[in-house]
């Protein structure tokens, strides 16, 4: 600096430099000398300013304020008061989109990286100045335990990378997974490009190490809200909350620092398949406080209680005998549940699904989602039950059958089914008549109906009885012919002698067929004058015998 000061002096006062102190004085030039002294007073003031500027020193690592002189493609020239400007790469002034955000005349802060007064060279950095400024903010926030904002830029091993500050001057901090949120985060990458507010856990500028926590601030905020909520919370309140988590049995709602359980049964008066079908995480909803235990801090919530219980008015809205409309929402082995309105369901029992079909499962008649009409049979508001009927909506076909087919009517039909106990004949759609095995023949001993008929055979029969209450249609085939026993007393009077063939031999007697459908019994005591122990061996089937009628 002495060298710089000397050069400046010599430049500003050449007359002084020429005066060696050996030349004669000029006392006779008094007036001119006084004028010259006045001029020297003004020059001295400028000289002192220049001298002070020449004595200005710079310290490497110092942040200086400079003025932009020129901006070109590669460098930005900045004047910080030195005899030469500093060059800074233009990229240090470029924004995220690549555009340069300074122009000549702008005042900027820069960091002095290197200064060589002998060579007159100075090297500056804009990004390092900005970085120094960010570090000051970080250190100040750390010491004051104040929050600081940053932008999540990437997911790295163990956590997230958070950028504090903008552009090249930003400082990268580490946000561990465990410090992202109060609850475990399933998708950390969803935070990328988001601005977050964090507390600083560790700060080491020399190692450029910063560890931050978002969870710390959330816990602090939650604790404050929790204390406030606990002081205000009471049963019966209607409050606003945010759905924080959904399970199979319900949803947890944040009321402000404290979570309450909204059970699936308290979500709606209607049927809820799963809580996720009603709410989503993050939803803001209105809930009613059903119960609150200050000691355990357990809170039970409800949303259906915000509306009136629909069962209070079911008797008025769905009186017995009326026809209602609803949607099939569920099928069981014993019937179908029909939703009449949200929260009100009725049951159609399988026995009330069809007049004519034997319904073994509701799926034979209806499906989930079907829109149907049904008749109200019974309403029980206390038990929350409504009995419905599908078949009652239409007329009872058995009443028509009873009128159309009185006893004695001869019908023609097709064998629909053959069972051990009889034959079913199709009468009309959904209605079959039964010919019992005992009504197939007057004379033949039928061991199985299949001996006479098979499925699909055409058949004629007589209507014996129609029972609409029990939904039974009785038919007979043998009744198409007169009963042979009606003429037996005339044909075979007591005392007459008859001839017939042995059809069966038993221990107690012999059966003899007199004509088709008419058999007589010769008891073992009537076989001969002597005592016969058993007729077995004395007679054979098909053998012709003559006997006397003793009783009809």
């Amino acid at each position: 600096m002495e060298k710089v000061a000397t050069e400046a002096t010599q430049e500003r006062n050449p007359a002084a430099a020429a005066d060696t102190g050996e030349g004669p004085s000029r006392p006779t030039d008094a007036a001119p000398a006084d004028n010259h002294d006045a001029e020297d007073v003004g020059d001295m003031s400028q000289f002192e300013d220049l001298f002070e500027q020449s004595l200005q020193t710079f310290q490497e690592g110092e942040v200086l304020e400079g003025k932009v002189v020129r901006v070109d493609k590669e460098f930005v020239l900045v004047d910080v008061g030195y005899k030469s400007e500093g060059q800074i790469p233009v990229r240090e002034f470029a924004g995220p989109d690549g555009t340069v955000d300074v122009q000549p005349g702008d005042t900027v802060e820069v960091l002095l990286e290197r200064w060589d007064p002998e060579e007159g060279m100075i090297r500056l950095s804009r990004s390092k100045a900005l970085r120094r400024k960010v570090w000051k903010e970080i250190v100040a926030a750390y010491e004051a335990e104040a929050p600081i904002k940053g932008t999540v830029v990437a997911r790295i091993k163990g956590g997230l990378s958070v950028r504090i500050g903008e552009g090249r001057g930003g400082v990268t901090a580490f946000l561990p997974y465990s410090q992202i949120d109060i609850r475990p985060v399933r998708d950390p990458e969803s935070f990328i490009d988001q601005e977050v507010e964090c507390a600083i856990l560790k700060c080491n500028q020399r190692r450029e190490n910063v560890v931050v926590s978002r969870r710390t601030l959330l816990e602090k905020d939650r604790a404050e809200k929790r204390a406030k909520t606990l002081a205000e919370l009471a049963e019966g309140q209607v409050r606003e909350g945010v759905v924080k988590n959904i399970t199979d049995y319900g949803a947890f709602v944040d009321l402000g620092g404290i979570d309450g359980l909204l059970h699936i049964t308290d979500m709606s008066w209607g049927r809820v398949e799963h809580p996720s079908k009603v709410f989503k995480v993050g939803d803001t909803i209105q809930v009613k406080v059903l119960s609150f235990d200050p000691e355990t801090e357990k809170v039970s919530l409800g949303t259906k209680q915000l509306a009136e219980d629909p069962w209070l008015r079911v008797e008025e809205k769905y009186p017995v005998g009326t026809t209602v409309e609803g949607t099939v929402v569920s099928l069981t082995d014993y019937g179908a549940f029909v939703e009449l309105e949200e929260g009100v369901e009725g049951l159609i029992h399988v026995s009330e699904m069809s007049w004519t079909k034997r319904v073994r499962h509701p799926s034979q008649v209806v499906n989930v989602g079907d829109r149907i009409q049904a008749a109200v049979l019974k309403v029980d508001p206390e038990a929350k039950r409504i009995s419905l009927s599908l078949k009652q909506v239409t007329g009872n076909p058995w009443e028509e059958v009873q009128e159309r087919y009185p006893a004695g009517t001869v019908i023609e039909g097709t064998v629909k089914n053959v069972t051990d106990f009889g034959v079913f004949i199709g009468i009309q759609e959904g209605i079959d008549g039964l010919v019992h095995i005992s009504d197939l023949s007057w004379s033949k001993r039928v061991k199985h109906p299949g001996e006479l008929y098979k499925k699909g055979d055409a058949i004629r029969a007589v209507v014996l009885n129609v029972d609409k209450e029990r939904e039974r249609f009785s038919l007979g085939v043998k009744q198409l012919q007169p009963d042979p026993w009606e003429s037996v007393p005339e044909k075979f009077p007591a005392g007459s002698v008859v001839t017939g063939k042995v059809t069966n031999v038993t221990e107690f007697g012999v059966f003899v067929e007199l004509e088709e459908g008419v058999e007589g019994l010769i008891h073992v005591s009537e076989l001969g004058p002597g005592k016969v122990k058993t007729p077995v061996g004395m007679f054979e089937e098909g053998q012709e015998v003559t006997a006397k009628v003793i009783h009809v």
Side-chain angles (χ1 to χ4, degrees):
M1 284 306 296
E2 292 179 357
K3 178 180 180 182
V4 174
T6 303
E7 290 175 349
T9 303
Q10 290 174 349
E11 182 179 353
R12 289 293 183 182
N13 192 3
D19 187 5
T20 59
E22 297 177 357
S25 64
R26 302 170 59 186
T28 58
D29 300 331
D34 293 338
N35 292 335
H36 183 70
D37 290 341
E39 293 176 359
D40 285 346
V41 172
D43 291 341
M44 284 299 294
S45 176
Q46 296 178 5
F47 170 77
E48 289 176 358
D49 291 340
L50 292 171
F51 185 75
E52 288 179 2
Q53 291 179 13
S54 68
L55 292 176
Q56 181 179 354
T57 60
F58 297 93
Q59 183 176 355
E60 293 180 1
E62 182 182 2
V63 176
L64 306 174
E65 191 175 85
K67 182 175 289 186
V68 176
V69 177
R70 188 173 75 246
V71 178
D72 56 31
K73 291 184 178 180
E74 295 184 2
F75 297 99
V76 174
L77 267 64
V78 179
D79 181 9
V80 293
Y82 192 52
K83 60 186 176 181
S84 62
E85 294 86 5
Q87 288 185 335
I88 303 176
V90 73
R91 64 175 180 274
E92 294 193 22
F93 292 89
D97 58 353
T99 58
V100 179
D101 57 0
V102 294
Q103 56 187 356
D106 288 351
T107 300
V108 295
E109 287 186 343
V110 294
L111 182 134
L112 178 62
E113 287 190 289
R114 185 179 177 188
W115 170 50
D116 191 337
E118 293 184 2
E119 296 182 4
M121 186 273 292
I122 189 169
R123 190 167 68 190
L124 306 174
S125 172
R126 165 69 170 169
S127 60
K128 289 184 179 179
L130 294 176
R131 189 175 181 83
R132 177 73 61 84
K133 185 178 181 180
V134 173
W135 269 110
K136 284 184 178 180
E137 294 176 358
I138 293 173
V139 172
Y142 177 69
E143 292 176 350
E145 297 183 357
I148 196 165
K149 291 183 179 180
T151 302
V152 179
V153 293
R155 179 178 179 178
I156 58 177
K157 183 178 180 181
L160 299 175
S161 180
V162 179
R163 192 74 169 171
I164 301 174
E166 299 180 357
R168 295 180 175 273
V171 174
T172 300
F174 176 58
L175 175 58
Y177 286 142
S178 62
Q179 298 300 318
I180 296 176
D181 207 331
I182 295 174
R183 294 185 177 87
V185 177
R186 296 181 181 179
D187 184 17
E189 291 186 359
S190 63
F191 283 85
I192 294 177
D193 295 331
Q194 287 190 25
E195 185 180 62
V196 294
E197 192 173 46
C198 302
I200 301 174
L201 300 182
K202 293 182 181 180
C203 174
N204 189 319
Q205 185 174 357
R206 183 173 62 83
R207 295 182 179 181
E208 295 192 349
N209 180 26
V210 181
V211 180
V212 295
S213 170
R214 181 171 174 267
R215 176 177 178 172
T216 299
L217 297 182
L218 294 176
E219 287 178 341
K220 182 180 179 182
D221 182 62
R222 183 178 176 85
E224 293 174 355
K225 290 181 178 178
R226 183 184 185 88
K228 182 180 179 182
T229 301
L230 288 173
E232 299 174 348
L233 201 62
E235 292 183 7
Q237 283 182 343
V238 176
R239 301 183 68 96
E240 189 176 86
V242 178
V243 178
K244 302 295 289 185
N245 190 27
I246 293 178
T247 67
D248 291 337
Y249 55 86
F252 287 93
V253 181
D254 184 1
L255 301 176
I258 182 171
D259 291 348
L261 173 61
L262 173 57
H263 198 269
I264 187 172
T265 57
D266 289 311
M267 290 183 173
S268 172
W269 291 111
R271 184 185 295 263
V272 178
E273 294 181 13
H274 193 275
S276 60
K277 297 290 182 71
V278 184
F279 302 110
K280 293 181 176 61
V281 173
D283 285 353
T284 299
I285 61 174
Q286 292 286 324
V287 292
K288 186 172 184 178
V289 180
L290 304 181
S291 65
F292 170 52
D293 187 342
E295 294 183 1
T296 61
E297 297 184 356
K298 288 186 178 181
V299 185
S300 296
L301 306 172
T303 51
K304 74 178 186 182
Q305 288 79 5
L306 297 174
E308 184 183 60
D309 185 350
W311 283 93
L312 297 176
R313 302 180 184 272
V314 291
E315 285 184 304
E316 299 175 13
K317 298 179 71 173
Y318 309 107
V320 174
T322 57
T323 299
V324 295
E325 190 173 288
T327 303
V328 178
V329 293
S330 179
L331 300 179
T332 66
D333 292 337
Y334 53 85
F337 285 93
V338 180
E339 185 180 56
L340 304 181
E341 64 175 82
E342 185 178 353
V344 177
E345 293 180 6
L347 171 65
I348 302 176
H349 195 268
V350 286
S351 62
E352 290 295 330
M353 290 192 165
S354 175
W355 290 109
T356 57
K357 294 180 180 179
R358 292 189 175 183
V359 182
R360 296 182 179 179
H361 194 274
S363 59
Q364 295 176 250
V365 182
V366 295
N367 296 306
V368 173
D370 286 354
R371 192 74 179 168
I372 62 170
Q373 288 188 330
V376 179
L377 301 181
K378 185 180 179 181
V379 179
D380 187 346
E382 293 184 2
K384 295 187 176 181
R385 291 179 181 176
I386 297 180
S387 298
L388 302 174
S389 173
L390 196 61
K391 69 182 184 181
Q392 297 288 347
V393 176
T394 60
N396 187 351
W398 284 95
E399 293 180 356
E400 180 186 348
V401 167
Q402 192 175 42
E403 295 177 3
R404 186 175 178 183
Y405 302 102
T409 303
V410 177
I411 59 109
E412 293 184 0
T414 303
V415 175
K416 301 292 290 291
N417 194 20
V418 178
T419 68
D420 293 340
F421 55 86
V423 177
F424 285 94
I425 301 173
I427 306 301
Q428 64 182 50
E429 182 65 29
I431 295 181
D432 295 340
L434 172 64
V435 180
H436 194 267
I437 188 172
S438 62
D439 290 312
L440 290 174
S441 175
W442 291 111
S443 56
K444 292 182 179 180
R445 292 191 175 187
V446 183
K447 294 182 179 179
H448 192 280
E451 298 173 7
L452 303 177
Y453 302 99
K454 63 180 182 297
K455 189 175 181 180
D457 285 352
I459 187 173
R460 293 175 74 247
V462 176
V463 177
L464 302 181
N465 181 46
V466 177
D467 187 345
K468 76 170 186 178
E469 302 298 333
R470 300 172 67 186
E471 297 182 358
R472 291 184 179 181
F473 199 132
S474 300
L475 301 172
V477 172
K478 72 180 184 181
Q479 285 80 0
L480 292 170
Q481 304 296 329
D483 185 353
W485 281 92
E486 292 179 358
S487 59
V488 164
E490 297 177 2
K491 288 184 178 182
F492 310 104
S496 61
V497 177
V498 297
T499 300
K501 291 183 179 181
V502 175
T503 58
N504 193 17
V505 180
T506 67
E507 292 289 339
F508 57 85
V510 178
F511 287 92
V512 179
E513 184 181 48
L514 303 180
E515 63 178 40
E516 187 177 356
V518 179
E519 285 183 344
L521 172 65
I522 304 174
H523 193 266
V524 66
S525 61
E526 299 292 337
L527 288 175
K531 186 175 182 181
V532 178
K533 291 183 178 181
T534 177
V536 178
M538 296 176 61
F539 300 90
E540 295 179 359
E541 289 187 12
Q543 180 181 345
E544 190 174 274
V545 297
T546 300
K548 184 178 181 179
V549 178
I550 58 175
H551 179 70
V552 178

